[in-house]
């Protein structure tokens, strides 16, 4: 089987300064609120170790049975400017994909320009690539709504 890969960039301008947005992007309690791809999916944290070399484990899926494991390993945490991590999706005990994700935050007055680069390797076929990008698009739509509600 061939390895299917894709890289894409996403950009948002959000009404928080970089230090506050950095926390929203990395803190597991915040991530549970916005990082799911749609309203029918939950993200539940099992473990979180937000430090360089640390690893998080989440479960995603339907609220009654979140059956996708998500393993995150942190490689660079340059608060409040940048975070780099890998994210591996696991279903049925097998890795479906691994992504290298880079967050870049740039202050602009009282808001932040967020640029995200995602490089995905799918181990389960090319259809997973579009699903992963759609999941990130949905998560960022949730992020926009979530930060609007923060004090």
């Amino acid at each position: 089987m061939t390895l299917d890969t894709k890289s894409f960039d996403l950009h948002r301008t959000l009404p928080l300064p970089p230090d506050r947005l950095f926390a929203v992007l990395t803190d597991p309690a915040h991530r549970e609120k916005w990082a799911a791809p749609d309203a029918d999916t939950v993200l539940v944290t099992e473990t979180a170790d937000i430090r360089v070399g640390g690893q998080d484990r989440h479960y995603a899926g339907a609220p009654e049975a979140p059956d996708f494991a998500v393993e995150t390993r942190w490689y660079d945490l340059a608060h409040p400017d940048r975070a780099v991590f890998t994210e591996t999706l696991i279903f049925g005990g097998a890795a479906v994909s691994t992504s290298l994700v880079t967050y870049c935050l740039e202050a602009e007055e009282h808001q932040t320009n967020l640029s995200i680069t995602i490089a995905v390797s799918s181990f389960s076929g090319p259809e997973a690539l579009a699903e992963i990008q759609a999941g990130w698009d949905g998560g960022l739509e949730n992020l926009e709504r979530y930060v609007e509600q923060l004090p």
Side-chain angles (χ1 to χ4, degrees):
M1 178 186 297
T2 62
L3 179 66
D4 299 293
T5 62
K6 179 178 186 172
S7 181
F8 54 96
D9 297 309
L10 302 169
H11 304 277
R12 298 290 190 279
T13 299
L14 299 162
L16 294 176
D19 61 326
R20 288 200 57 214
L21 182 58
F22 190 91
V24 169
L25 293 171
T26 58
D27 181 272
H30 285 296
R31 288 171 36 214
E32 284 184 341
K33 305 277 194 234
W34 67 264
D38 56 52
D40 298 325
T41 303
V42 297
L43 184 70
V44 179
T45 303
E46 179 182 77
T47 60
D49 184 3
I50 313 302
R51 64 183 174 88
V52 172
Q55 187 169 341
D56 302 350
R57 187 171 181 93
H58 297 83
Y59 288 91
E64 63 279 0
D67 50 6
F68 272 93
V70 183
E71 292 182 353
T72 302
R73 181 170 301 275
W74 299 95
Y75 294 94
D76 184 41
L77 291 162
H79 181 272
D81 303 313
R82 181 182 66 245
V84 179
F85 58 96
T86 54
E87 185 174 82
T88 299
L89 303 179
I90 300 166
F91 185 71
V96 175
S97 67
T98 296
S99 302
L100 174 64
V101 181
T102 303
Y103 293 154
C104 291
L105 294 82
E106 185 177 304
E108 183 180 296
E109 296 181 14
H110 302 292
Q111 55 190 11
T112 301
N113 293 322
L114 172 64
S115 297
I116 304 174
T117 299
I118 300 128
V120 185
S121 292
S122 170
F123 315 125
S124 59
E127 62 282 345
L129 299 171
E131 292 171 6
I132 291 166
Q133 185 165 356
W136 274 96
D137 287 332
L140 288 183
E141 289 173 15
N142 293 336
L143 176 63
E144 288 175 305
R145 286 189 293 275
Y146 180 66
V147 300
E148 290 290 338
Q149 300 171 8
L150 294 175

